[in-house]
Amino acid sequence: WVQGLGKNPIWKRASHLRLRGYLDGDGAVYRGLGRGGQPQELSAKASERIKAFERAERLVEAGRAGRGKKPDLSLAEALAKRGWPSAADSIDMAVEYCSVDFEYGETPETISVKHNVHGEYNWRDFGEEEYFVDDPRGFV
């Protein structure tokens, strides 16, 4: 995965190597790659749960928790306050894993809103665009 494409030196290297992949990084994980390497469609329930998570996530990102003198919260607490309870079924677990565990390398219970959600330097420095690398030569 290459996060932040703009001036990111990793993106420059990946472009130079002509790595195969997809600009829709998160979608490739949610949908999975089907025949011919094309993304598969989501089920209606999965689409609904992704939208619910993203709605709660936007509210957390726009919120005051962890800003200035406001107390910090774990991402799990902040999401719960914004309408996303702890994942209870396999679809919610997959959505939460792809959106949180995979992105941050930790579970929502251990992620600081102040330091991790509000402090993401890649977005500010390189932009929010992502590139999902799916190159048969391998690349990590």
Side-chain angles (χ1 to χ4, degrees):
W1 227 287
V2 180
Q3 296 180 322
L5 304 185
K7 296 178 183 176
N8 186 342
I10 302 298
W11 174 240
K12 288 180 183 180
R13 182 72 175 148
S15 297
H16 175 76
L17 294 171
R18 299 176 197 234
L19 294 176
R20 193 180 94 184
Y22 306 90
L23 280 175
D24 182 16
D26 288 340
V29 169
Y30 286 133
R31 292 188 289 254
L33 300 177
R35 290 188 181 144
Q38 296 304 310
Q40 297 176 22
E41 292 303 314
L42 293 166
S43 70
K45 182 176 181 190
S47 293
E48 171 192 318
R49 297 309 296 152
I50 289 168
K51 287 177 186 171
F53 180 87
E54 289 173 345
R55 195 170 33 252
E57 186 177 42
R58 279 192 305 274
L59 291 170
V60 170
E61 290 170 353
R64 297 181 143 190
R67 292 187 193 263
K69 294 185 179 188
K70 295 286 183 182
D72 194 9
L73 296 174
S74 73
L75 184 55
E77 293 171 304
L79 286 169
K81 287 183 176 196
R82 300 293 187 248
W84 180 265
S86 284
D89 66 19
S90 59
I91 291 176
D92 284 2
M93 287 178 198
V95 169
E96 199 171 278
Y97 174 83
C98 291
S99 299
V100 179
D101 300 45
F102 183 83
E103 291 289 327
Y104 295 100
E106 297 287 343
T107 63
E109 293 77 21
T110 60
I111 294 171
S112 157
V113 170
K114 180 175 186 168
H115 298 291
N116 297 107
V117 176
H118 296 316
E120 285 294 335
Y121 68 89
N122 276 350
W123 298 338
R124 187 173 55 244
D125 296 341
F126 302 132
E128 292 188 36
E129 249 186 330
E130 296 179 340
Y131 188 74
F132 177 71
V133 177
D134 181 30
D135 195 280
R137 297 171 291 171
F139 182 77
V140 262

